[in-house]
Amino acid sequence: MESKTVPGSAGFSVFGDKSVKFYKNVVDFVQQNINQHNSRIFLSRILNKSTVFIASNTAVRELLHNKTDYMDLGYKAFMHEIYGDGIIFCDGQEADNLRTLLQMTMAQDTIRNFQEVINRLVTKAVIKLDTSSPVPMYTFFKQLATELCISMFLDVDFETSSELAEEICALTTTHWHGIISIPLTFTLPYMQSSSSYSKALEAKARLLQIIQQRIQQTDAGFVHTVSKTDFVSDELGTNYLLLLTSALVPKALASILTSFVIATSLHDKSGYLEKAVDDPDIVDWLLLEVQRLYPPFFGGRRLVRQDCIIDGFKIPKGYCVMYCTHAAHRDPKVFPDPDTFLPSRWKDKFLEARDTLFTFGSGSRSCIGQHVVWTILRVRHL
């Protein structure tokens, strides 16, 4: 079967770049191009590189499951200094080997140990919640998720080690700002002012120092598990803990939980939330539908290192691929009435979500900690 040419245009270098328009409103940018080209796969120019956008659900799955050998991850140039060597930037056999080791740290025994911490911290947060005035939901969930991650992954108790906990929280926020800033390091002469990126690197150095201290001081829990894992280098272990405790995970959790509250408050016309109190299956339906409509991340980026064909379209070596989770989750070929909040569409289809939802990635690059995330999301008190 002859391959097709991707519709759209990459334009001319620099002058044809659509980055400003894309980052101004990524959802609108993708939908406008889908409408313009009558295709859920189209070509544009982003970050001055020819970029193929994939908004088809089946094509995203094909990319994530079957085309990993044709692609390199597209984050290294932007995020490597912030996170260091680790699973985010590995490819091929190296990635497979490291992933196997990381999965061992997330074994069922570990998840069970986390369950006690999760129940305790969620119960405490709900009891302390002051409902006498409006509660900023995202802020509440972000604080809770941050405490959960630092408590689970660094074994830091916020009550007995409050100063350390506060320092880590502040550092993770500064560290996160490096991801969303321009990667330039500078300090203004005669002033105590540095770029956000410089401050992020300083925060990273301090976080790694704290992590190393936790490894030395802790003889149980998750930190101990990671320290005893047979990584190629100690640096991989500390960078793994850095990734888990960075603001990235709490922000994702807070986003899903906030979307859950908003969606069930505004769109739950059939009373699913009330029924979910006695039926855990309905809890899963609600969570899956929230993740479908409101994924916390837009998608992902890949660099094409070898010509490949996705959904019949030829994508040349040297191009970028941007897969669009938000749009793929609203593909009408897979989800009838895609913009409607309809939890019942997941009845008896929980396992199928692995093939059609990409909230935590999919295939060999899926999120290693997604079982922990699901454990948190399913807590009864939430």
Side-chain angles (χ1 to χ4, degrees):
M1 181 178 176
E2 190 173 341
S3 61
K4 301 174 288 187
T5 300
V6 178
S9 171
F12 295 103
S13 180
V14 181
F15 295 105
D17 192 82
K18 303 295 184 184
S19 297
V20 173
K21 189 174 181 180
F22 170 66
Y23 286 110
K24 184 177 180 180
N25 191 321
V26 294
V27 173
D28 283 355
F29 177 87
V30 171
Q31 191 58 52
Q32 286 169 9
N33 276 275
I34 290 173
N35 296 339
Q36 178 183 343
H37 302 296
N38 194 30
S39 172
R40 300 189 77 83
I41 298 178
F42 60 87
L43 176 63
S44 189
R45 178 174 291 275
I46 304 296
L47 299 175
N48 205 30
K49 285 190 74 72
S50 299
T51 301
V52 175
F53 283 80
I54 300 181
S56 156
N57 193 282
T58 54
V60 171
R61 186 180 189 282
E62 181 182 357
L63 166 70
L64 297 179
H65 283 257
N66 303 328
K67 302 298 180 181
T68 55
D69 291 341
Y70 295 85
M71 310 277 175
D72 290 324
L73 290 177
Y75 310 117
K76 193 164 187 175
F78 305 99
M79 296 170 59
H80 184 262
E81 252 193 318
I82 292 293
Y83 281 115
D85 290 334
I87 190 63
I88 299 178
F89 312 114
C90 293
D91 287 300
Q93 190 61 48
E94 181 186 12
D96 292 341
N97 293 342
L98 183 54
R99 186 177 183 82
T100 299
L101 289 173
L102 298 183
Q103 285 174 331
M104 291 168 59
T105 69
M106 292 288 182
Q108 286 301 315
D109 286 346
T110 300
I111 304 299
R112 280 193 290 270
N113 291 336
F114 285 162
Q115 185 74 65
E116 186 279 326
V117 175
I118 294 167
N119 289 338
R120 175 169 53 82
L121 294 182
V122 169
T123 300
K124 182 185 75 172
V126 171
I127 291 173
K128 291 174 62 177
L129 186 63
D130 181 8
T131 57
S132 61
S133 58
V135 177
M137 287 181 294
Y138 181 79
T139 301
F140 170 75
F141 286 130
K142 171 73 172 3
Q143 290 172 344
L144 172 59
T146 299
E147 183 171 357
L148 284 168
C149 288
I150 293 173
S151 299
M152 289 188 299
F153 300 129
L154 288 185
D155 301 306
V156 173
D157 189 307
F158 273 55
E159 294 183 355
T160 60
S161 304
S162 57
E163 289 186 11
L164 176 61
E166 289 175 8
E167 181 185 8
I168 294 173
C169 289
L171 288 168
T172 56
T173 299
T174 304
H175 181 244
W176 167 259
H177 289 161
I179 299 173
I180 57 177
S181 65
I182 299 173
L184 297 174
T185 57
F186 64 84
T187 301
L188 296 177
Y190 310 112
M191 297 180 66
Q192 300 298 314
S193 179
S194 304
S195 68
S196 294
Y197 194 73
S198 295
K199 292 176 181 177
L201 294 181
E202 293 169 3
K204 172 195 170 185
R206 175 57 183 149
L207 283 168
L208 288 175
Q209 186 181 48
I210 292 172
I211 289 169
Q212 288 162 356
Q213 290 171 350
R214 297 301 299 162
I215 289 173
Q216 294 168 1
Q217 297 167 357
T218 307
D219 58 3
F222 188 74
V223 171
H224 184 68
T225 298
V226 172
S227 70
K228 295 303 179 184
T229 302
D230 190 21
F231 292 113
V232 173
S233 67
D234 292 341
E235 182 184 11
L236 286 174
T238 54
N239 287 346
Y240 175 44
L241 289 169
L242 175 69
L243 176 63
L244 291 174
T245 53
S246 74
L248 188 67
V249 179
K251 280 180 175 291
L253 271 169
S255 174
I256 293 173
L257 290 168
T258 302
S259 296
F260 182 94
V261 172
I262 294 173
T264 52
S265 299
L266 297 179
H267 308 303
D268 184 16
K269 308 301 183 185
S270 300
Y272 287 107
L273 193 59
E274 185 176 346
K275 298 172 187 174
V277 173
D278 299 312
D279 190 339
D281 287 343
I282 296 180
V283 174
D284 286 344
W285 300 357
L286 288 165
L287 289 170
L288 289 170
E289 188 68 349
V290 166
Q291 290 175 51
R292 184 187 71 82
L293 284 170
Y294 312 108
F297 303 113
F298 168 76
R301 186 170 182 262
R302 299 287 188 269
L303 303 177
V304 183
R305 63 168 178 248
Q306 181 181 340
D307 289 359
C308 67
I309 295 175
I310 296 178
D311 200 24
F313 291 99
K314 181 179 179 179
I315 304 179
K317 175 183 177 181
Y319 275 37
C320 283
V321 168
M322 191 87 76
Y323 69 88
C324 312
T325 302
H326 182 277
H329 285 182
R330 296 177 185 237
D331 185 342
K333 289 185 178 179
V334 177
F335 300 107
D337 203 4
D339 296 322
T340 300
F341 182 73
L342 190 62
S344 60
R345 73 171 81 239
W346 298 105
K347 184 178 181 180
D348 302 323
K349 292 184 178 180
F350 184 79
L351 293 179
E352 291 182 23
R354 294 181 298 184
D355 293 332
T356 57
L357 292 187
F358 313 111
T359 308
F360 304 108
S362 192
S364 62
R365 308 293 313 200
S366 61
C367 175
I368 291 167
Q370 61 182 288
H371 298 301
V372 178
V373 174
W374 269 101
T375 301
I376 295 171
L377 295 176
R378 285 171 170 150
V379 170
R380 189 177 181 83
H381 289 293
L382 288 175

